[in-house]
Amino acid sequence: MAGGREKKPIANAKPKANAGGGGKKKEVKKETGLGLSYNKDDNFGEWYSEVVVNGEMIEYYDISGCYIMRPWAISIWETMQKFFDAEIKKMKIQNCYFPLFVSPTVLQKEKDHIEGFAPEVAWVTKSGESDLEVPIAIRPTSETVMYPYFSKWIRGHRDLPLKLNQWCNVVRWEFSNPTPFIRSREFLWQEGHTAFATKSEADDEVLQILELYRRIYEEFLAVPVIKGKKSELEKFAGGLYTTTVEAFIPNTGRGIQGATSHCLGQNFSKMFEIIFENEKGEKAMAWQNSWAYTTRTIGVMVMVHGDDKGLMLPPKVASVQVIVIPVPYKDADTQGIFDACTATVEKLCEAGVPLRIEIGPKDLANDQVRAVRRDNGAKIDLPRGSLVERVKELLEEVQESLFVAAKQRRDACIQIVKTWDEFVEALGQRKMILAPWCDEEEVEKDVKARTKGEMGAAKTLCSPLEQPEVPEGTLCFASGKPAKKWTYWGRSY
């Protein structure tokens, strides 16, 4: 019922919409039509690759790090897009579209920014058989694409705020270990770019957008996240500060950045001369933000909820929430069962509720249907007279149950430590570690260096916005200096 793909339906209620990999194309074993070859706990990477392929979410492509997103995946993306687009329009943010290509001159204008992205930039160097006189970059992000035009469009305080968003693709080329949805060379995202007259306006929007990202993960994907702030070392290149929603994958013991909302400060305004005349007639630089979430959201959802049976989708994003299956026995009234299935589908479609239900001879005799929950296997008999209301209630219960179970698994992996020895022990146990920290960049670099190994180094994930109290005399777990904040640490994707 929670969007499982275990049986092909005989009849479908009308859907809302159609519903660690490597660089080398994987040959997924097909031993049976239903079962998986790999276990989630024993071989997570192969399990994940098998689930997203067998679940018809993606197909591997013949270019490393690129994937075909199939209708089931796009349907989930469209559901999130519909919600987010409506919410940002309430905030007076308008959609636009800027070109995919970037000139080298513009790309290199903001030094810190391009240094952060330089290894990932893909370049167009030929047209047919001819070399281009000047290579053209393919956008890894759009700050440098858009801001020359912000400078052109913003002249006075009446031109502010300027609030734009675009739904598009980006390309980030140079990396190892591509994984469907999580780490790919091309991906879909939305990217918002806004400019304000004051820092307080920019600060307010950063948190408004971050809350929308939390809602996407927790209310739609049923994935618990922590709202926090990135360290100076981990923040967006060229920005003032970065906020994030951080998820955690218990099976791998790795954090994963879910979505980010950045305050860019006035750095890009300075580089691109985004200057306006304020109400006093004085020249001032705009305060800017940028924020984005990507198709990575889908991969996080699969990793958190999937099991050894395969894909498990929260009802709010499942393109088919319920399927209706006839279960005839020998000498049963087969036609009566099929008629009951058809009537059930029609009834649910009329109410706007898509679905999957079993109807057998006993159900037909008792004027009921049997619902089987995908998340916990529970079987519930529902009277046909109140079917629509009970199905709606049941889908809401499944959605909430998935979130609660995921949060319990995540919380069981969080460990508070106060010393280096405790930190190392917790890291070895694949925990998400909350520790007091002195907030010094050199100490963070030292932690990375000291924990480097086959599993990857530990780093800061985020400092939670809702900070626990730091009692007087609390020392940093890594340096022994006075602690300034609590910060989550761990390995990450």
Side-chain angles (χ1 to χ4, degrees), residues 58 62 75 95 99 125 181 188 190 251 261 284 347 366 426 463 468:
I58 66 103
D62 62 356
S75 173
N95 284 325
T125 60
F181 297 118
L188 302 181
Q190 60 70 217
N251 296 79
S261 182
K347 191 171 187 179
N366 294 332
S463 297

Side-chain angles (χ1 to χ4, degrees), residues 229-235 244 246 255-257 423 427 432-441 443-448 451 457-464 476-478 485-493:
K229 187 176 179 180
K230 288 289 188 181
S231 68
E232 287 297 301
L233 198 61
E234 295 292 332
K235 74 178 183 181
T244 178
E246 292 286 320
I256 186 162
Q257 180 177 286
F423 178 85
L427 190 64
M432 186 181 195
I433 302 165
L434 183 61
W437 181 38
C438 60
D439 197 19
E440 292 186 10
E441 192 170 312
V443 173
E444 184 177 0
K445 289 178 180 178
D446 184 58
V447 170
K448 277 189 174 183
T451 57
K459 66 176 186 178
T460 58
L461 302 175
C462 71
S463 297
C476 171
F477 79 99
K485 61 169 68 171
W486 289 90
T487 298
Y488 284 101
W489 298 73
R491 296 188 177 95
S492 72
Y493 283 92

Side-chain angles (χ1 to χ4, degrees), residues 25 39-40 49 61 86 135 160 186 192 201 252 254 291 294 297 314 317 334 349 360 418 423-424 429 445 448 462:
K25 181 176 178 178
N39 182 282
K40 185 176 183 180
S49 295
Y61 194 57
L160 294 171
E186 179 191 10
E201 291 176 282
T252 62
R254 292 182 182 274
W291 27 270
T294 78
T297 49
V317 295
T334 303
C349 286
K418 295 183 179 179
F423 178 85
V424 172
Q429 295 171 349
K445 289 178 180 178
K448 277 189 174 183
C462 71

Side-chain angles (χ1 to χ4, degrees), residues 413-432:
C413 293
I414 295 176
Q415 188 162 328
I416 297 173
V417 308
K418 295 183 179 179
T419 68
W420 178 256
D421 288 342
E422 291 175 347
F423 178 85
V424 172
E425 182 180 0
L427 190 64
Q429 295 171 349
R430 298 184 175 184
K431 300 292 187 180
M432 186 181 195

Side-chain angles (χ1 to χ4, degrees), residues 150-162 195-197 274-279 281-284 286:
F150 275 42
S151 176
K152 181 178 181 180
W153 298 335
I154 296 171
R155 286 287 181 260
H157 63 88
R158 291 184 179 85
D159 298 320
L160 294 171
L162 177 60
F196 301 90
I274 305 174
I275 298 169
F276 68 99
E277 187 176 278
N278 63 24
E279 293 176 342
E282 302 166 338
K283 296 291 183 181

Side-chain angles (χ1 to χ4, degrees), residues 20 59 89 145 173 224 273 296 322 330 343 372 377 424 430 434:
E59 184 61 74
K89 282 174 179 172
V145 179
W173 198 260
E273 298 181 344
R296 167 178 281 200
V322 185
K330 185 178 179 181
V372 183
V424 172
R430 298 184 175 184
L434 183 61

